[in-house]
Amino acid sequence: MEIIMIIVCGILTSISVYLILSKSLIRIIIGTAVQTHAANLFLITMGGLNEGAVPIFQPGTKSYVDPIPQALILTAIVISFAVTAFFLVLAFRSYKELGTDNVERMKGVPEDDD
Amino acid sequence: MSWLHTAVLLPFIFALIIPIVYRFIKRIHIGWFVLPVPVVLFIYFLSYISTTMSGDHRFAELKWMPQIGMNFNLYVDGLSLLFSLLITGIGALVTFYSISYLSKNEQLGNFYCYLLLFMGAMLGVVLSDNVFMLYLFWEMTSFSSFLLISFWRTRQASLYGAQKSLLITVFGGLSLLGGLILMTLSGHSTSIRHLIAHASEIQSSPTFILAMILILFGAMTKSAQFPFYIWLPDAMEAPTPVSAYLHSATMVKAGIYLVARFTPIFALSEGWIWTVTAIGLITLFWGSLNATKQLDLKGILAFSTVSQLGMVMAMLGIGAVSYHYQGAQSQFYAAAFIAATFHLINHATFKCALFMVAGIIDHETGTRDVRKLGGLMTVMPISFTITVITALSMAGVPPFNGFLSKESFIEAMINATHSHLFSLNTLGVLIPIVAIVGSVFTFVYSVRFIGQIFWGSYKPEKLPHKPHEPSFMMWIAPAFLAVLVIVFGLFPAILTKPIIDPASRAISNAHIPHAEFHLFHGFTPAFFATLFIYAAGIALIFTYHKWVKVIESIPERLELNYLYDRSGRYMPFYSKKVTRTYMSGFIRNKLMVILGSLIALTLITLLCMPFSLNFDHVSRLRTTEIIIVIMILASAFMIVFARSRLFSIIMLSAVGYSMAIFFIFFNAPDLALTQFVVETISTALFLLCFYHLPNLNRYNESKSFKVGNALIAAGVGIVVTVLGLIAYGNKHFESIASYYKENVHSLAHGNNMVNVILVDFRGTDTLFESSVLGIAGLGVYTLIKLRSKHKNGYERVEENEQTEK
């Protein structure tokens, strides 16, 4: 299972990198969002996908799944959400101000802008 | 803190006080307050003569930074004393001269502050026993001379000259630092005395040659040797007292001091002897040749300084041969050291006087251009007398002091060919030839210097001012130096025993003979060489207009200045070009570089490091999860191929929801919950912005663009996969999760392990994660609320969309 998951992570990373390298700002933001998913998936996979109980303490249960990656991912999800929201508004604002979402045209300060 | 330390620090203290005094006392020329400093120091250093004459020395210690071996230790022996006397003595005369040269309208507070800084730094250079203190003072001389050259900072040429001299001397200074560090590493000490005493340790170290080359770079740049002499002629934009002091008598001799000081360490090397001698002779020849064609009085003197410094350098090189012999034979070659030290004093006297004369001419006639000058003999008789004495001394004519040292110089060069070391007896034949030819040109420009100013036709209509004899105050300093030229020429004995003997003994290890100079010492080869120099020189002066065209026709392209200017122009040009190649302003290029190096580095590491794959603990495949994986992959691919923004946003949320379902199957209920909520909110956010976001535009991405992106993307994906597989197969330790699992109830009184970790075991993470959320919220708020005034954004969007469609 883990091998497949790692390959899936690789493919997701490829997709996100491809999106990030494109010219459109909106595609870049979507790319970063996909990147987040790839990283989260990677984290939980590396912790091991062994079967075990839900990490909620119950007397008598011997094996739980690893709670640490879950805690890490929980933190990561919230942070990436915050960053994505900010990026989105930033893209929205820059589109309004600069008049383009083509990153190749976003070079320096646009002329006659005072 | 001894008197010696006070002596070095005194100019620095005055450099602080003088600008303050200058603010309050406007009536008296501030130079009068400066003058006591060098005078007092000169008298103080005279008191050391008895110490050094007896072969003794003085050592004064002051701890500064003993941890790194940087102590303010001072050391006076014959060599240091010679230089200290030159610095303070010439310094006193120059200060005196500057009082009448600079009017009160100039920024005198600055001028004397810089001058005193320079004087203190120069004393520090020659008296320091610690190599790092020497370097510190060395850079201070570069710095203060930079300030002095650019004293008239409204002139473009001053700034150019100052920048050039700073660049070249600091280049040399840094290389000197490298050489000094190498020496301290191999000699295990930062004290120059200790290094010289343990010279064999340095000589046997593998960095010996490198240290030698680096130190030579430092000395050659400072002393304006070939090919680094180019800064000196441009430094002539400084006020004339500065040129007289820095660029004839003191700073340019710092390199000479360095070579002389480290001769006991490096003299054993054949490379040292040949390099120092050859560079000195080339400089002598090239400087004197170029001096003949200069049209500016200070230009002539600048090139003449270059050539005379080359002469001293060559003598130091030949003197080093004495380290390879014993007894009388050693003394034979060590005579070059005596000649070198003697010429140092002589050059300081006559060159300083000549600069002062050039300053007087400039001051009284308003020009330094030799084409406008001429026939001033009867108008300015005193200046004429001074010039004749000093210029003929420079030419090497008896009975002036320049003759004595020039004679010893020729003699030393001829003697060098008798040595059977390092093919000095075969290739060395060139040494006296170059020396004699160089001396011929020295004679030519020296005599022409007199002629150009004082002989020929008097052209008052060309001169900006009506020429007249300068004030008494102004000519007294050069006159004093001219008297010294005659006195040293007729009675060299007053110098030899107290100063020259101890100084040359400090350079040489042998018991060198007592210096003796005679105006006539028989029909030696040197005597005939001198006669030849006069004859050839006179012949060349009369045919000057025929051959000078040959020198003038040397194309500008071959000059070193041209190279310097070109490199100064092209280096920024090319560095800008190089910078532009990667600082293109396109984010994609930077990402390509970052990701490309990620791929390359990983590949190299994988190739160089052995690794193993181990999949013993892999869990089994489950159908439900396979379905989710396929969902994730399918929707992710859909994003890539999506044509509309709505579709891509929906596909993105499909990936997110599949992730949430995946978390459910892997027993992570909290994650699933959060993922669901977050995915919903972000989808809502995307849709909220939906109408304001631009449509998904591919901007005509070309095929090669896409292929390049795809290759990079695939590379990164493969890197991630491979690294993940390797990492998964090599788990070296058990997880620490067992601690959390066991103690979640007993210690933290909770049941939900993930929550307990988030708020209890690792609560700090959560605190700052909340801060991130808060900051992002604030950022979003400010982005939307705080805008600049203009409102034409929307209009521009519409315009652009129309042009792009």
Side-chain angles (χ1 to χ4, degrees), chain B residues 442-745:
Chain B
T442 306
F443 186 84
V444 172
Y445 72 71
S446 302
V447 176
R448 276 185 55 80
F449 184 82
I450 309 171
Q452 280 160 334
I453 306 174
F454 297 105
W455 298 335
S457 54
Y458 178 45
K459 294 164 271 191
E461 70 285 352
K462 281 191 177 178
L463 299 175
H465 302 315
K466 193 181 175 323
H468 56 82
E469 199 61 64
S471 62
F472 170 76
M473 286 275 294
M474 208 162 179
W475 62 255
I476 197 151
F480 180 72
L481 285 167
V483 169
L484 282 186
V485 165
I486 301 176
V487 171
F488 291 160
L490 294 177
F491 313 105
I494 59 166
L495 276 183
T496 49
K497 234 182 159 63
I499 294 171
I500 294 173
D501 274 353
S504 32
R505 232 179 287 139
I507 310 173
S508 169
N509 64 346
H511 293 285
I512 57 174
H514 286 300
E516 277 179 56
F517 294 100
H518 301 288
L519 284 176
F520 178 72
H521 43 78
F523 294 99
T524 54
F527 177 76
F528 292 111
T530 309
L531 284 184
F532 169 76
I533 289 168
Y534 297 157
I538 289 164
L540 281 177
I541 287 168
F542 282 113
T543 54
Y544 177 75
H545 291 287
K546 288 182 183 141
W547 55 265
V548 77
K549 291 192 187 73
V550 181
I551 305 177
E552 276 168 356
S553 66
I554 296 172
E556 193 201 15
R557 239 159 232 289
L558 292 176
E559 276 178 18
L560 288 165
N561 263 329
Y562 180 77
L563 281 177
Y564 170 84
D565 287 340
R566 293 284 279 199
S567 62
R569 207 171 308 142
Y570 278 93
M571 248 143 64
F573 175 72
Y574 281 114
S575 61
K576 206 180 266 176
K577 249 186 161 179
V578 170
T579 312
R580 286 234 173 101
T581 55
Y582 61 92
M583 296 298 287
S584 56
F586 294 127
I587 191 160
R588 181 172 170 265
N589 293 15
K590 285 174 200 168
L591 280 173
M592 286 288 226
V593 172
I594 295 170
L595 298 173
S597 46
L598 169 77
I599 296 169
L601 282 177
T602 316
L603 278 181
I604 292 167
T605 319
L606 288 180
L607 288 176
C608 299
M609 301 287 283
F611 59 88
S612 61
L613 293 170
N614 176 10
F615 297 109
D616 294 342
H617 305 289
V618 174
S619 57
R620 64 185 172 80
L621 284 174
R622 281 173 293 190
T623 12
T624 43
E625 285 144 14
I626 299 290
I627 294 167
I628 295 163
V629 162
I630 293 167
M631 268 174 67
I632 290 179
L633 286 181
S635 32
F637 273 110
M638 290 298 204
I639 299 174
V640 177
F641 299 109
R643 291 240 158 247
S644 80
R645 59 195 156 154
L646 184 59
F647 186 60
S648 55
I649 291 169
I650 289 173
M651 280 306 124
L652 179 64
S653 45
V655 175
Y657 286 124
S658 314
M659 286 282 292
I661 298 167
F662 185 80
F663 289 143
I664 294 176
F665 282 110
F666 279 103
N667 289 345
D670 297 298
L671 282 186
L673 202 61
T674 319
Q675 182 69 42
F676 266 123
V677 174
V678 163
E679 201 54 46
T680 312
I681 298 175
S682 22
T683 310
L685 206 66
F686 268 105
L687 291 176
L688 252 180
C689 297
F690 188 81
Y691 279 108
H692 307 290
L693 286 177
N695 203 351
L696 213 55
N697 198 332
R698 297 296 174 87
Y699 297 110
N700 307 325
E701 288 175 1
S702 66
K703 201 155 195 177
S704 63
F705 182 87
K706 282 184 189 165
V707 170
N709 288 358
L711 279 177
I712 289 274
V716 174
I718 290 166
V719 161
V720 168
T721 313
V722 171
L723 287 183
L725 289 175
I726 295 169
Y728 189 79
N730 292 281
K731 274 190 184 161
H732 299 290
F733 305 102
E734 272 301 305
S735 167
I736 54 163
S738 54
Y739 174 81
Y740 294 133
K741 288 172 190 165
E742 281 159 21
N743 294 309
V744 65
H745 191 73

Side-chain angles (χ1 to χ4, degrees), chain B residues 109-247:
Chain B
N110 294 6
F111 179 80
Y112 286 108
C113 176
Y114 303 156
L115 196 74
L116 285 166
L117 271 182
F118 174 79
M119 197 183 290
M122 204 58 214
L123 278 178
V125 166
V126 298
L127 291 171
S128 285
D129 179 53
N130 188 289
V131 287
F132 295 124
M133 286 311 284
L134 184 136
Y135 173 71
L136 179 77
F137 286 120
W138 183 276
E139 290 297 27
M140 279 173 77
T141 62
S142 299
F143 177 65
S144 49
S145 85
F146 168 76
L147 289 173
L148 282 168
I149 295 168
S150 59
F151 178 63
W152 287 314
R153 55 184 182 275
T154 45
R155 297 186 191 171
Q156 201 59 41
S158 300
L159 298 180
Y160 171 78
Q163 187 199 35
K164 193 176 189 178
S165 76
L166 190 72
L167 279 175
I168 294 178
T169 51
V170 166
F171 161 73
L174 287 177
S175 112
L176 169 71
L177 178 65
L180 293 177
I181 289 172
L182 286 182
M183 279 210 319
T184 52
L185 287 182
S186 51
H188 307 294
S189 172
T190 52
S191 154
I192 295 174
R193 261 186 338 144
H194 184 274
L195 288 175
I196 290 172
H198 297 78
S200 57
E201 275 177 47
I202 300 171
Q203 283 152 6
S204 57
S205 91
T207 54
F208 175 66
I209 298 288
L210 190 60
M212 187 181 94
I213 292 168
L214 290 176
I215 285 178
L216 270 180
F217 262 118
M220 298 300 169
T221 48
K222 199 74 160 182
S223 282
Q225 298 294 296
F226 190 89
F228 304 113
Y229 67 86
I230 51 170
W231 64 265
L232 208 149
D234 283 308
M236 289 303 129
E237 290 302 323
T240 305
V242 172
S243 309
Y245 189 40
L246 270 68
H247 308 121

Side-chain angles (χ1 to χ4, degrees), chain B residues 290-357:
Chain B
N290 272 302
T292 55
K293 70 166 186 183
Q294 297 301 314
L295 296 172
D296 176 24
L297 288 184
K298 281 172 92 176
I300 301 175
L301 294 177
F303 275 102
S304 127
T305 303
V306 168
S307 111
Q308 302 276 319
L309 290 169
M311 180 171 152
V312 177
M313 205 60 108
M315 287 191 266
L316 288 176
I318 292 301
V321 178
S322 70
Y323 276 82
H324 296 269
Y325 290 101
Q326 298 286 323
Q329 220 172 353
S330 171
Q331 295 184 1
F332 184 62
Y333 296 107
F337 286 140
I338 298 170
T341 43
F342 190 39
H343 194 70
L344 265 183
I345 302 169
N346 296 341
H347 177 245
T349 52
F350 66 66
K351 187 53 59 66
C352 196
L354 281 169
F355 265 111
M356 287 173 177
V357 165

